[in-house]
Amino acid sequence: MGFPTAVVDVPLRWVDLDLQGHVNNSMAVEYMQEARAGLMVDTPVEHLLGGGVVVVGHQVDYRRAIAFSREPLQVRIGITHVGASRFDLAYELVQEGQVCVSATSRMCPFDFASQRPRRLTADERAWFAGEAEEREPIPPLTAPALEGRGHVHPVQVRWGDLDRYGHVNNVRYFDYVQEARIDATTSVDPAMARDGGQTRWVVARQDIDHLAQIDHRPEPFEVHTAVTGLGRTSIRLAAEIVDPLGGSVLCRVRTVQVCTDAQGTKRELPESSREALGRLLVS
């Protein structure tokens, strides 16, 4: 079986756009989620959609902006690796014949009654293995553990953030980290406000590791954000979603953000921004 295993058309919505006039980076992960459902529906593993499967992590490589269109986005999806208790998926998000996003997800069957991961059954593993095709992996991003360091941004979980399993949907983690990233960077440099001006801040890569489920509750969680590297045209950041009531880290995220002009051409970081971002820098 060659890549892709399936091709799923996902309609775009006006609300998917951000202030910079293109589809927001977090929406790519939502389109991937739609494609996963499309891959498994009407197959021997369809029960996983309702019976329990969770995202362990994502790697997302943003290659070009996705523009609004009445034509649906094409998501190519394939199975790339199958283990005893995990399986990996690869995606290409395609618009007008161009690959806009390349990504991978690591998935794990989960028993929500016992709140524990479980192994794939023999039948589940046989189906995934029969559809699998090896693909070149995306090199992972690395970052140091923050250990309480970085800018702290409170996050309040909304009822609408929950999925059918009663936990925060994996897509919403990207939203939380994005809100915190904007708050962190504009707190040290107000000129980095995402106001549609001549300087844009574009997400080029994002990796996320889900370490624990997040539930709805009155008390807010926290996102800690720090800069881990400053390039000529790019910023590397690390973020952790933390439960301040117990101190546990619920997920870790690594992000590469690129400075561009209004046409999307890379430009050097303004010296004032470089100096300001240095206040968030950790080693």
Side-chain angles (χ1 to χ4, degrees):
M1 175 67 68
F3 182 89
T5 306
V7 178
V8 179
D9 287 339
V10 180
L12 302 175
R13 302 172 179 172
W14 274 112
V15 295
D16 296 349
L17 306 183
D18 60 21
L19 284 176
Q20 299 185 145
H22 52 66
V23 169
N24 188 273
N25 70 87
S26 67
M27 293 308 303
V29 189
E30 187 157 321
Y31 304 151
M32 290 155 53
Q33 181 170 253
E34 292 296 309
R36 285 197 300 278
L39 171 72
M40 290 190 278
V41 72
D42 293 329
T43 71
V45 296
E46 182 178 11
H47 60 277
L48 290 174
L49 295 173
V53 63
V54 296
V55 175
V56 177
H58 292 305
Q59 293 176 291
V60 189
D61 182 10
Y62 302 89
R63 299 184 180 180
R64 22 184 326 125
I66 300 172
F68 179 77
S69 173
R70 296 294 180 189
E71 295 298 317
L73 188 73
Q74 185 185 77
V75 184
R76 303 169 184 167
I77 181 170
I79 301 153
T80 60
H81 176 75
V82 184
S85 58
R86 295 183 179 182
F87 58 95
D88 294 347
L89 302 173
Y91 316 77
E92 291 179 345
L93 278 57
V94 180
Q95 187 174 60
E96 296 183 349
Q98 300 289 323
V99 177
C100 300
V101 176
S102 178
T104 62
S105 298
R106 175 152 288 183
M107 312 295 297
C108 176
F110 198 84
D111 183 342
F112 282 96
S114 63
Q115 287 295 299
R116 295 175 62 86
R118 67 168 178 84
R119 296 170 70 89
L120 290 164
T121 67
D123 288 344
E124 290 167 347
R125 192 157 191 253
W127 186 84
F128 282 115
E131 301 290 332
E133 175 75 16
E134 289 294 327
R135 296 271 290 176
E136 189 72 24
I138 299 174
L141 297 176
T142 60
L146 296 185
E147 298 177 331
R149 295 175 294 175
H151 178 273
V152 177
H153 178 76
V155 168
Q156 187 69 56
V157 174
R158 301 172 179 173
W159 275 112
D161 295 345
L162 306 183
D163 60 21
R164 65 183 299 169
Y165 306 132
H167 303 288
V168 171
N169 187 282
N170 73 95
V171 178
R172 301 284 78 83
Y173 288 64
F174 283 80
D175 293 340
Y176 299 161
V177 170
Q178 177 175 250
E179 292 291 324
R181 182 171 64 246
I182 293 172
D183 185 41
T185 53
T186 56
S187 71
V188 295
D189 182 11
M192 290 186 68
R194 279 58 165 182
D195 56 6
Q198 291 303 302
T199 300
R200 309 289 176 91
W201 303 94
V202 178
V203 175
R205 264 294 303 274
Q206 220 161 186
D207 288 5
I208 184 168
D209 300 327
H210 294 274
L211 306 178
Q213 301 287 336
I214 297 179
D215 299 316
H216 183 272
R217 72 182 193 192
E219 300 83 6
F221 295 88
E222 293 178 348
V223 183
H224 296 212
T225 306
V227 174
T228 59
L230 292 169
R232 187 176 64 86
T233 62
S234 64
I235 313 163
R236 285 180 174 255
L237 304 106
E240 295 178 353
I241 301 180
V242 176
D243 182 354
L245 300 184
S248 57
V249 178
L250 307 174
C251 90
R252 291 191 170 97
V253 183
R254 283 84 62 202
T255 304
V256 177
Q257 201 163 28
V258 176
C259 182
T260 77
D261 61 21
Q263 288 70 47
T265 302
K266 289 182 182 180
R267 58 175 294 182
E268 290 193 12
L269 295 177
E271 196 55 41
S272 58
S273 296
R274 181 183 298 278
E275 182 179 343
L277 290 167
R279 297 176 218 154
L280 296 174
L281 191 63
V282 301
S283 59

